[in-house]
Amino acid sequence: MRATLFGLTAISLVCTSAFSDQTDDITLSQQNEKNNLATTVINVPKNSANIFDDYRAKTASIVNSMTLKQKIGQMTLPKYNFIKTEDENGTYYLNYNLFKQYYIGAVLAAGGEIPDGTSVSAGMYDPDAYLTATAENWKPLIEGTNNNSPVITLKNGQKVTIPLLTGIDAVHGFHEVLGNVIFPQNIGLSMTHDPKLLNKIGQVVANDMLQIGFNWTYSPTVAISHNPNWGRTFETLGSVPENALKDTRAWLKDFNKLIKMVRLQAQAY
């Protein structure tokens, strides 16, 4: 489950800080010759303890004003199929008002959920459904979501709108939209040993998401594979932590366009 209020500030601050020049090296796992563990080093901001200071007071004010129902709603992550309503003719349509009614914090366009202009497909990767996966059908989905963000009334009477996190699996390309580029799986990309290439791929994915309006993607998958028999090996960045770290940094470097959008949404409220 995800909370929009916390998610927006956390994603924007952590991601933009991850590439700050003002960083210290922190060793996550020490070299151990006996069990052959690799040393992994990441950079974190020197003042990382203070990166949330600008948001703490506002966050506390909003959370302290929430009812239990509102807090539960903010910690809820439904799929779009769960916000459908049946009309008098037995036809299901997307009822965006449910986001406001239940104070939902985030929504996920899960695998196989493709918009057709009124609703979303229920089948898992139904080939026919993808014929309606146009940008023209995706954009109203996000607009309807954003236009129905929950509103919280603070104790002083002020009303605060909390934008939803809109998530989708755009891992090796934003493949849910007709005409977008699909890249090889992570394991194939890692084999190129070309961080600059992954950087360009990250730019393409971020730009494609911005065109539709999604502000949250489940990527990149920063995973290490030690046994090729594992069924998700194809989603990893290989077996060498140092290489995976380089690839991840390169991938995310130009996600800043997407990150800035999320940060602006957080600051606006």
mmCIF file with all atom_site columns, all heavy atoms in Angstrom, residues 2-27:
data_model
loop_
_atom_site.group_PDB
_atom_site.id
_atom_site.type_symbol
_atom_site.label_atom_id
_atom_site.label_alt_id
_atom_site.label_comp_id
_atom_site.label_asym_id
_atom_site.label_entity_id
_atom_site.label_seq_id
_atom_site.pdbx_PDB_ins_code
_atom_site.Cartn_x
_atom_site.Cartn_y
_atom_site.Cartn_z
_atom_site.occupancy
_atom_site.B_iso_or_equiv
_atom_site.pdbx_formal_charge
_atom_site.auth_seq_id
_atom_site.auth_comp_id
_atom_site.auth_asym_id
_atom_site.auth_atom_id
_atom_site.pdbx_PDB_model_num
ATOM 1   N N   . ARG A 1 2  ? 0.340  2.333  -0.551  1.00 0.00 ? 2  ARG A N   1
ATOM 2   C CA  . ARG A 1 2  ? 1.102  3.560  -0.652  1.00 0.00 ? 2  ARG A CA  1
ATOM 3   C C   . ARG A 1 2  ? 0.272  4.729  -0.148  1.00 0.00 ? 2  ARG A C   1
ATOM 4   O O   . ARG A 1 2  ? -0.950 4.746  -0.281  1.00 0.00 ? 2  ARG A O   1
ATOM 5   C CB  . ARG A 1 2  ? 1.485  3.848  -2.114  1.00 0.00 ? 2  ARG A CB  1
ATOM 6   C CG  . ARG A 1 2  ? 2.276  2.742  -2.781  1.00 0.00 ? 2  ARG A CG  1
ATOM 7   C CD  . ARG A 1 2  ? 3.695  2.676  -2.210  1.00 0.00 ? 2  ARG A CD  1
ATOM 8   N NE  . ARG A 1 2  ? 4.510  1.748  -2.964  1.00 0.00 ? 2  ARG A NE  1
ATOM 9   C CZ  . ARG A 1 2  ? 4.604  0.461  -2.717  1.00 0.00 ? 2  ARG A CZ  1
ATOM 10  N NH1 . ARG A 1 2  ? 3.899  -0.063 -1.740  1.00 0.00 ? 2  ARG A NH1 1
ATOM 11  N NH2 . ARG A 1 2  ? 5.382  -0.318 -3.435  1.00 0.00 ? 2  ARG A NH2 1
ATOM 12  N N   . ALA A 1 3  ? 0.912  5.719  0.439   1.00 0.00 ? 3  ALA A N   1
ATOM 13  C CA  . ALA A 1 3  ? 0.238  6.935  0.859   1.00 0.00 ? 3  ALA A CA  1
ATOM 14  C C   . ALA A 1 3  ? 0.686  8.068  -0.036  1.00 0.00 ? 3  ALA A C   1
ATOM 15  O O   . ALA A 1 3  ? 1.859  8.339  -0.164  1.00 0.00 ? 3  ALA A O   1
ATOM 16  C CB  . ALA A 1 3  ? 0.565  7.260  2.318   1.00 0.00 ? 3  ALA A CB  1
ATOM 17  N N   . THR A 1 4  ? -0.271 8.741  -0.673  1.00 0.00 ? 4  THR A N   1
ATOM 18  C CA  . THR A 1 4  ? 0.079  9.805  -1.606  1.00 0.00 ? 4  THR A CA  1
ATOM 19  C C   . THR A 1 4  ? 0.881  10.902 -0.941  1.00 0.00 ? 4  THR A C   1
ATOM 20  O O   . THR A 1 4  ? 1.912  11.330 -1.438  1.00 0.00 ? 4  THR A O   1
ATOM 21  C CB  . THR A 1 4  ? -1.215 10.414 -2.189  1.00 0.00 ? 4  THR A CB  1
ATOM 22  O OG1 . THR A 1 4  ? -1.906 9.407  -2.894  1.00 0.00 ? 4  THR A OG1 1
ATOM 23  C CG2 . THR A 1 4  ? -0.884 11.553 -3.133  1.00 0.00 ? 4  THR A CG2 1
ATOM 24  N N   . LEU A 1 5  ? 0.392  11.376 0.191   1.00 0.00 ? 5  LEU A N   1
ATOM 25  C CA  . LEU A 1 5  ? 1.037  12.504 0.854   1.00 0.00 ? 5  LEU A CA  1
ATOM 26  C C   . LEU A 1 5  ? 2.494  12.216 1.134   1.00 0.00 ? 5  LEU A C   1
ATOM 27  O O   . LEU A 1 5  ? 3.366  13.043 0.880   1.00 0.00 ? 5  LEU A O   1
ATOM 28  C CB  . LEU A 1 5  ? 0.302  12.803 2.163   1.00 0.00 ? 5  LEU A CB  1
ATOM 29  C CG  . LEU A 1 5  ? 0.840  13.977 2.982   1.00 0.00 ? 5  LEU A CG  1
ATOM 30  C CD1 . LEU A 1 5  ? 0.728  15.249 2.169   1.00 0.00 ? 5  LEU A CD1 1
ATOM 31  C CD2 . LEU A 1 5  ? 0.079  14.101 4.276   1.00 0.00 ? 5  LEU A CD2 1
ATOM 32  N N   . PHE A 1 6  ? 2.766  11.030 1.642   1.00 0.00 ? 6  PHE A N   1
ATOM 33  C CA  . PHE A 1 6  ? 4.139  10.679 1.965   1.00 0.00 ? 6  PHE A CA  1
ATOM 34  C C   . PHE A 1 6  ? 4.902  10.267 0.711   1.00 0.00 ? 6  PHE A C   1
ATOM 35  O O   . PHE A 1 6  ? 6.059  10.557 0.558   1.00 0.00 ? 6  PHE A O   1
ATOM 36  C CB  . PHE A 1 6  ? 4.154  9.533  2.981   1.00 0.00 ? 6  PHE A CB  1
ATOM 37  C CG  . PHE A 1 6  ? 3.227  9.769  4.132   1.00 0.00 ? 6  PHE A CG  1
ATOM 38  C CD1 . PHE A 1 6  ? 2.213  8.874  4.428   1.00 0.00 ? 6  PHE A CD1 1
ATOM 39  C CD2 . PHE A 1 6  ? 3.336  10.914 4.897   1.00 0.00 ? 6  PHE A CD2 1
ATOM 40  C CE1 . PHE A 1 6  ? 1.343  9.103  5.480   1.00 0.00 ? 6  PHE A CE1 1
ATOM 41  C CE2 . PHE A 1 6  ? 2.469  11.143 5.949   1.00 0.00 ? 6  PHE A CE2 1
ATOM 42  C CZ  . PHE A 1 6  ? 1.472  10.238 6.242   1.00 0.00 ? 6  PHE A CZ  1
ATOM 43  N N   . GLY A 1 7  ? 4.200  9.583  -0.193  1.00 0.00 ? 7  GLY A N   1
ATOM 44  C CA  . GLY A 1 7  ? 4.847  9.102  -1.396  1.00 0.00 ? 7  GLY A CA  1
ATOM 45  C C   . GLY A 1 7  ? 5.383  10.204 -2.275  1.00 0.00 ? 7  GLY A C   1
ATOM 46  O O   . GLY A 1 7  ? 6.507  10.150 -2.760  1.00 0.00 ? 7  GLY A O   1
ATOM 47  N N   . LEU A 1 8  ? 4.593  11.254 -2.487  1.00 0.00 ? 8  LEU A N   1
ATOM 48  C CA  . LEU A 1 8  ? 5.018  12.334 -3.362  1.00 0.00 ? 8  LEU A CA  1
ATOM 49  C C   . LEU A 1 8  ? 6.258  13.025 -2.850  1.00 0.00 ? 8  LEU A C   1
ATOM 50  O O   . LEU A 1 8  ? 7.201  13.281 -3.592  1.00 0.00 ? 8  LEU A O   1
ATOM 51  C CB  . LEU A 1 8  ? 3.883  13.355 -3.518  1.00 0.00 ? 8  LEU A CB  1
ATOM 52  C CG  . LEU A 1 8  ? 2.726  12.925 -4.417  1.00 0.00 ? 8  LEU A CG  1
ATOM 53  C CD1 . LEU A 1 8  ? 1.575  13.899 -4.311  1.00 0.00 ? 8  LEU A CD1 1
ATOM 54  C CD2 . LEU A 1 8  ? 3.187  12.814 -5.867  1.00 0.00 ? 8  LEU A CD2 1
ATOM 55  N N   . THR A 1 9  ? 6.285  13.348 -1.569  1.00 0.00 ? 9  THR A N   1
ATOM 56  C CA  . THR A 1 9  ? 7.459  14.028 -1.027  1.00 0.00 ? 9  THR A CA  1
ATOM 57  C C   . THR A 1 9  ? 8.657  13.107 -0.986  1.00 0.00 ? 9  THR A C   1
ATOM 58  O O   . THR A 1 9  ? 9.780  13.529 -1.279  1.00 0.00 ? 9  THR A O   1
ATOM 59  C CB  . THR A 1 9  ? 7.161  14.550 0.391   1.00 0.00 ? 9  THR A CB  1
ATOM 60  O OG1 . THR A 1 9  ? 6.717  13.484 1.208   1.00 0.00 ? 9  THR A OG1 1
ATOM 61  C CG2 . THR A 1 9  ? 6.105  15.629 0.355   1.00 0.00 ? 9  THR A CG2 1
ATOM 62  N N   . ALA A 1 10 ? 8.436  11.844 -0.648  1.00 0.00 ? 10 ALA A N   1
ATOM 63  C CA  . ALA A 1 10 ? 9.556  10.913 -0.548  1.00 0.00 ? 10 ALA A CA  1
ATOM 64  C C   . ALA A 1 10 ? 10.185 10.646 -1.901  1.00 0.00 ? 10 ALA A C   1
ATOM 65  O O   . ALA A 1 10 ? 11.401 10.683 -2.054  1.00 0.00 ? 10 ALA A O   1
ATOM 66  C CB  . ALA A 1 10 ? 9.088  9.598  0.075   1.00 0.00 ? 10 ALA A CB  1
ATOM 67  N N   . ILE A 1 11 ? 9.354  10.392 -2.910  1.00 0.00 ? 11 ILE A N   1
ATOM 68  C CA  . ILE A 1 11 ? 9.887  10.107 -4.239  1.00 0.00 ? 11 ILE A CA  1
ATOM 69  C C   . ILE A 1 11 ? 10.672 11.294 -4.762  1.00 0.00 ? 11 ILE A C   1
ATOM 70  O O   . ILE A 1 11 ? 11.779 11.166 -5.257  1.00 0.00 ? 11 ILE A O   1
ATOM 71  C CB  . ILE A 1 11 ? 8.746  9.759  -5.211  1.00 0.00 ? 11 ILE A CB  1
ATOM 72  C CG1 . ILE A 1 11 ? 8.146  8.393  -4.846  1.00 0.00 ? 11 ILE A CG1 1
ATOM 73  C CG2 . ILE A 1 11 ? 9.248  9.714  -6.651  1.00 0.00 ? 11 ILE A CG2 1
ATOM 74  C CD1 . ILE A 1 11 ? 6.922  8.052  -5.646  1.00 0.00 ? 11 ILE A CD1 1
ATOM 75  N N   . SER A 1 12 ? 10.109 12.496 -4.649  1.00 0.00 ? 12 SER A N   1
ATOM 76  C CA  . SER A 1 12 ? 10.773 13.658 -5.225  1.00 0.00 ? 12 SER A CA  1
ATOM 77  C C   . SER A 1 12 ? 12.076 13.971 -4.517  1.00 0.00 ? 12 SER A C   1
ATOM 78  O O   . SER A 1 12 ? 13.099 14.209 -5.156  1.00 0.00 ? 12 SER A O   1
ATOM 79  C CB  . SER A 1 12 ? 9.845  14.872 -5.164  1.00 0.00 ? 12 SER A CB  1
ATOM 80  O OG  . SER A 1 12 ? 9.507  15.173 -3.828  1.00 0.00 ? 12 SER A OG  1
ATOM 81  N N   . LEU A 1 13 ? 12.067 13.940 -3.196  1.00 0.00 ? 13 LEU A N   1
ATOM 82  C CA  . LEU A 1 13 ? 13.267 14.314 -2.460  1.00 0.00 ? 13 LEU A CA  1
ATOM 83  C C   . LEU A 1 13 ? 14.358 13.268 -2.553  1.00 0.00 ? 13 LEU A C   1
ATOM 84  O O   . LEU A 1 13 ? 15.525 13.581 -2.781  1.00 0.00 ? 13 LEU A O   1
ATOM 85  C CB  . LEU A 1 13 ? 12.901 14.552 -0.990  1.00 0.00 ? 13 LEU A CB  1
ATOM 86  C CG  . LEU A 1 13 ? 12.152 15.856 -0.734  1.00 0.00 ? 13 LEU A CG  1
ATOM 87  C CD1 . LEU A 1 13 ? 11.635 15.869 0.691   1.00 0.00 ? 13 LEU A CD1 1
ATOM 88  C CD2 . LEU A 1 13 ? 13.043 17.048 -0.980  1.00 0.00 ? 13 LEU A CD2 1
ATOM 89  N N   . VAL A 1 14 ? 13.993 11.999 -2.382  1.00 0.00 ? 14 VAL A N   1
ATOM 90  C CA  . VAL A 1 14 ? 14.997 10.947 -2.403  1.00 0.00 ? 14 VAL A CA  1
ATOM 91  C C   . VAL A 1 14 ? 15.632 10.818 -3.768  1.00 0.00 ? 14 VAL A C   1
ATOM 92  O O   . VAL A 1 14 ? 16.842 10.712 -3.909  1.00 0.00 ? 14 VAL A O   1
ATOM 93  C CB  . VAL A 1 14 ? 14.387 9.602  -1.966  1.00 0.00 ? 14 VAL A CB  1
ATOM 94  C CG1 . VAL A 1 14 ? 15.378 8.476  -2.193  1.00 0.00 ? 14 VAL A CG1 1
ATOM 95  C CG2 . VAL A 1 14 ? 13.984 9.663  -0.497  1.00 0.00 ? 14 VAL A CG2 1
ATOM 96  N N   . CYS A 1 15 ? 14.798 10.831 -4.826  1.00 0.00 ? 15 CYS A N   1
ATOM 97  C CA  . CYS A 1 15 ? 15.340 10.638 -6.167  1.00 0.00 ? 15 CYS A CA  1
ATOM 98  C C   . CYS A 1 15 ? 16.210 11.801 -6.601  1.00 0.00 ? 15 CYS A C   1
ATOM 99  O O   . CYS A 1 15 ? 17.258 11.614 -7.191  1.00 0.00 ? 15 CYS A O   1
ATOM 100 C CB  . CYS A 1 15 ? 14.205 10.443 -7.171  1.00 0.00 ? 15 CYS A CB  1
ATOM 101 S SG  . CYS A 1 15 ? 13.350 8.865  -6.987  1.00 0.00 ? 15 CYS A SG  1
ATOM 102 N N   . THR A 1 16 ? 15.795 13.047 -6.322  1.00 0.00 ? 16 THR A N   1
ATOM 103 C CA  . THR A 1 16 ? 16.603 14.182 -6.744  1.00 0.00 ? 16 THR A CA  1
ATOM 104 C C   . THR A 1 16 ? 17.864 14.286 -5.906  1.00 0.00 ? 16 THR A C   1
ATOM 105 O O   . THR A 1 16 ? 18.891 14.757 -6.378  1.00 0.00 ? 16 THR A O   1
ATOM 106 C CB  . THR A 1 16 ? 15.806 15.500 -6.616  1.00 0.00 ? 16 THR A CB  1
ATOM 107 O OG1 . THR A 1 16 ? 15.246 15.583 -5.313  1.00 0.00 ? 16 THR A OG1 1
ATOM 108 C CG2 . THR A 1 16 ? 14.709 15.566 -7.660  1.00 0.00 ? 16 THR A CG2 1
ATOM 109 N N   . SER A 1 17 ? 17.805 13.815 -4.677  1.00 0.00 ? 17 SER A N   1
ATOM 110 C CA  . SER A 1 17 ? 18.992 13.873 -3.830  1.00 0.00 ? 17 SER A CA  1
ATOM 111 C C   . SER A 1 17 ? 19.992 12.773 -4.155  1.00 0.00 ? 17 SER A C   1
ATOM 112 O O   . SER A 1 17 ? 21.172 12.878 -3.842  1.00 0.00 ? 17 SER A O   1
ATOM 113 C CB  . SER A 1 17 ? 18.587 13.739 -2.357  1.00 0.00 ? 17 SER A CB  1
ATOM 114 O OG  . SER A 1 17 ? 17.757 14.787 -1.963  1.00 0.00 ? 17 SER A OG  1
ATOM 115 N N   . ALA A 1 18 ? 19.511 11.715 -4.805  1.00 0.00 ? 18 ALA A N   1
ATOM 116 C CA  . ALA A 1 18 ? 20.368 10.557 -5.034  1.00 0.00 ? 18 ALA A CA  1
ATOM 117 C C   . ALA A 1 18 ? 21.568 10.875 -5.913  1.00 0.00 ? 18 ALA A C   1
ATOM 118 O O   . ALA A 1 18 ? 22.567 10.182 -5.885  1.00 0.00 ? 18 ALA A O   1
ATOM 119 C CB  . ALA A 1 18 ? 19.561 9.431  -5.668  1.00 0.00 ? 18 ALA A CB  1
ATOM 120 N N   . PHE A 1 19 ? 21.473 11.963 -6.685  1.00 0.00 ? 19 PHE A N   1
ATOM 121 C CA  . PHE A 1 19 ? 22.562 12.286 -7.592  1.00 0.00 ? 19 PHE A CA  1
ATOM 122 C C   . PHE A 1 19 ? 23.216 13.609 -7.224  1.00 0.00 ? 19 PHE A C   1
ATOM 123 O O   . PHE A 1 19 ? 23.837 14.263 -8.046  1.00 0.00 ? 19 PHE A O   1
ATOM 124 C CB  . PHE A 1 19 ? 22.050 12.320 -9.034  1.00 0.00 ? 19 PHE A CB  1
ATOM 125 C CG  . PHE A 1 19 ? 21.438 11.015 -9.417  1.00 0.00 ? 19 PHE A CG  1
ATOM 126 C CD1 . PHE A 1 19 ? 20.065 10.844 -9.402  1.00 0.00 ? 19 PHE A CD1 1
ATOM 127 C CD2 . PHE A 1 19 ? 22.236 9.934  -9.734  1.00 0.00 ? 19 PHE A CD2 1
ATOM 128 C CE1 . PHE A 1 19 ? 19.505 9.625  -9.730  1.00 0.00 ? 19 PHE A CE1 1
ATOM 129 C CE2 . PHE A 1 19 ? 21.672 8.709  -10.068 1.00 0.00 ? 19 PHE A CE2 1
ATOM 130 C CZ  . PHE A 1 19 ? 20.315 8.564  -10.056 1.00 0.00 ? 19 PHE A CZ  1
ATOM 131 N N   . SER A 1 20 ? 23.049 14.027 -5.988  1.00 0.00 ? 20 SER A N   1
ATOM 132 C CA  . SER A 1 20 ? 23.666 15.255 -5.515  1.00 0.00 ? 20 SER A CA  1
ATOM 133 C C   . SER A 1 20 ? 25.178 15.119 -5.476  1.00 0.00 ? 20 SER A C   1
ATOM 134 O O   . SER A 1 20 ? 25.724 14.063 -5.211  1.00 0.00 ? 20 SER A O   1
ATOM 135 C CB  . SER A 1 20 ? 23.137 15.586 -4.113  1.00 0.00 ? 20 SER A CB  1
ATOM 136 O OG  . SER A 1 20 ? 23.884 16.635 -3.543  1.00 0.00 ? 20 SER A OG  1
ATOM 137 N N   . ASP A 1 21 ? 25.868 16.231 -5.753  1.00 0.00 ? 21 ASP A N   1
ATOM 138 C CA  . ASP A 1 21 ? 27.324 16.211 -5.683  1.00 0.00 ? 21 ASP A CA  1
ATOM 139 C C   . ASP A 1 21 ? 27.801 16.215 -4.238  1.00 0.00 ? 21 ASP A C   1
ATOM 140 O O   . ASP A 1 21 ? 28.940 15.850 -3.947  1.00 0.00 ? 21 ASP A O   1
ATOM 141 C CB  . ASP A 1 21 ? 27.902 17.431 -6.414  1.00 0.00 ? 21 ASP A CB  1
ATOM 142 C CG  . ASP A 1 21 ? 27.686 17.337 -7.912  1.00 0.00 ? 21 ASP A CG  1
ATOM 143 O OD1 . ASP A 1 21 ? 27.644 16.204 -8.433  1.00 0.00 ? 21 ASP A OD1 1
ATOM 144 O OD2 . ASP A 1 21 ? 27.538 18.397 -8.550  1.00 0.00 ? 21 ASP A OD2 1
ATOM 145 N N   . GLN A 1 22 ? 26.942 16.668 -3.342  1.00 0.00 ? 22 GLN A N   1
ATOM 146 C CA  . GLN A 1 22 ? 27.308 16.739 -1.926  1.00 0.00 ? 22 GLN A CA  1
ATOM 147 C C   . GLN A 1 22 ? 26.962 15.423 -1.256  1.00 0.00 ? 22 GLN A C   1
ATOM 148 O O   . GLN A 1 22 ? 25.970 15.301 -0.549  1.00 0.00 ? 22 GLN A O   1
ATOM 149 C CB  . GLN A 1 22 ? 26.557 17.896 -1.257  1.00 0.00 ? 22 GLN A CB  1
ATOM 150 C CG  . GLN A 1 22 ? 26.782 19.242 -1.943  1.00 0.00 ? 22 GLN A CG  1
ATOM 151 C CD  . GLN A 1 22 ? 28.236 19.652 -1.910  1.00 0.00 ? 22 GLN A CD  1
ATOM 152 O OE1 . GLN A 1 22 ? 28.910 19.473 -0.897  1.00 0.00 ? 22 GLN A OE1 1
ATOM 153 N NE2 . GLN A 1 22 ? 28.736 20.205 -3.001  1.00 0.00 ? 22 GLN A NE2 1
ATOM 154 N N   . THR A 1 23 ? 27.791 14.407 -1.491  1.00 0.00 ? 23 THR A N   1
ATOM 155 C CA  . THR A 1 23 ? 27.455 13.089 -0.976  1.00 0.00 ? 23 THR A CA  1
ATOM 156 C C   . THR A 1 23 ? 28.601 12.446 -0.229  1.00 0.00 ? 23 THR A C   1
ATOM 157 O O   . THR A 1 23 ? 29.758 12.796 -0.397  1.00 0.00 ? 23 THR A O   1
ATOM 158 C CB  . THR A 1 23 ? 27.053 12.153 -2.127  1.00 0.00 ? 23 THR A CB  1
ATOM 159 O OG1 . THR A 1 23 ? 28.142 12.089 -3.063  1.00 0.00 ? 23 THR A OG1 1
ATOM 160 C CG2 . THR A 1 23 ? 25.821 12.645 -2.845  1.00 0.00 ? 23 THR A CG2 1
ATOM 161 N N   . ASP A 1 24 ? 28.258 11.516 0.611   1.00 0.00 ? 24 ASP A N   1
ATOM 162 C CA  . ASP A 1 24 ? 29.221 10.685 1.320   1.00 0.00 ? 24 ASP A CA  1
ATOM 163 C C   . ASP A 1 24 ? 29.072 9.258  0.835   1.00 0.00 ? 24 ASP A C   1
ATOM 164 O O   . ASP A 1 24 ? 27.969 8.822  0.485   1.00 0.00 ? 24 ASP A O   1
ATOM 165 C CB  . ASP A 1 24 ? 28.954 10.704 2.839   1.00 0.00 ? 24 ASP A CB  1
ATOM 166 C CG  . ASP A 1 24 ? 29.349 12.036 3.455   1.00 0.00 ? 24 ASP A CG  1
ATOM 167 O OD1 . ASP A 1 24 ? 30.234 12.690 2.886   1.00 0.00 ? 24 ASP A OD1 1
ATOM 168 O OD2 . ASP A 1 24 ? 28.745 12.394 4.471   1.00 0.00 ? 24 ASP A OD2 1
ATOM 169 N N   . ASP A 1 25 ? 30.146 8.502  0.789   1.00 0.00 ? 25 ASP A N   1
ATOM 170 C CA  . ASP A 1 25 ? 30.074 7.095  0.424   1.00 0.00 ? 25 ASP A CA  1
ATOM 171 C C   . ASP A 1 25 ? 29.717 6.262  1.644   1.00 0.00 ? 25 ASP A C   1
ATOM 172 O O   . ASP A 1 25 ? 30.285 6.422  2.715   1.00 0.00 ? 25 ASP A O   1
ATOM 173 C CB  . ASP A 1 25 ? 31.421 6.597  -0.122  1.00 0.00 ? 25 ASP A CB  1
ATOM 174 C CG  . ASP A 1 25 ? 31.678 7.120  -1.516  1.00 0.00 ? 25 ASP A CG  1
ATOM 175 O OD1 . ASP A 1 25 ? 30.692 7.534  -2.160  1.00 0.00 ? 25 ASP A OD1 1
ATOM 176 O OD2 . ASP A 1 25 ? 32.841 7.123  -1.940  1.00 0.00 ? 25 ASP A OD2 1
ATOM 177 N N   . ILE A 1 26 ? 28.752 5.393  1.476   1.00 0.00 ? 26 ILE A N   1
ATOM 178 C CA  . ILE A 1 26 ? 28.342 4.494  2.553   1.00 0.00 ? 26 ILE A CA  1
ATOM 179 C C   . ILE A 1 26 ? 28.434 3.061  2.044   1.00 0.00 ? 26 ILE A C   1
ATOM 180 O O   . ILE A 1 26 ? 27.882 2.725  0.998   1.00 0.00 ? 26 ILE A O   1
ATOM 181 C CB  . ILE A 1 26 ? 26.904 4.791  3.004   1.00 0.00 ? 26 ILE A CB  1
ATOM 182 C CG1 . ILE A 1 26 ? 26.853 6.160  3.683   1.00 0.00 ? 26 ILE A CG1 1
ATOM 183 C CG2 . ILE A 1 26 ? 26.405 3.707  3.956   1.00 0.00 ? 26 ILE A CG2 1
ATOM 184 C CD1 . ILE A 1 26 ? 25.500 6.510  4.225   1.00 0.00 ? 26 ILE A CD1 1
ATOM 185 N N   . THR A 1 27 ? 29.151 2.209  2.758   1.00 0.00 ? 27 THR A N   1
ATOM 186 C CA  . THR A 1 27 ? 29.307 0.821  2.351   1.00 0.00 ? 27 THR A CA  1
ATOM 187 C C   . THR A 1 27 ? 28.131 0.014  2.867   1.00 0.00 ? 27 THR A C   1
ATOM 188 O O   . THR A 1 27 ? 27.865 -0.017 4.056   1.00 0.00 ? 27 THR A O   1
ATOM 189 C CB  . THR A 1 27 ? 30.612 0.232  2.898   1.00 0.00 ? 27 THR A CB  1
ATOM 190 O OG1 . THR A 1 27 ? 31.699 1.012  2.403   1.00 0.00 ? 27 THR A OG1 1
ATOM 191 C CG2 . THR A 1 27 ? 30.777 -1.217 2.462   1.00 0.00 ? 27 THR A CG2 1
#
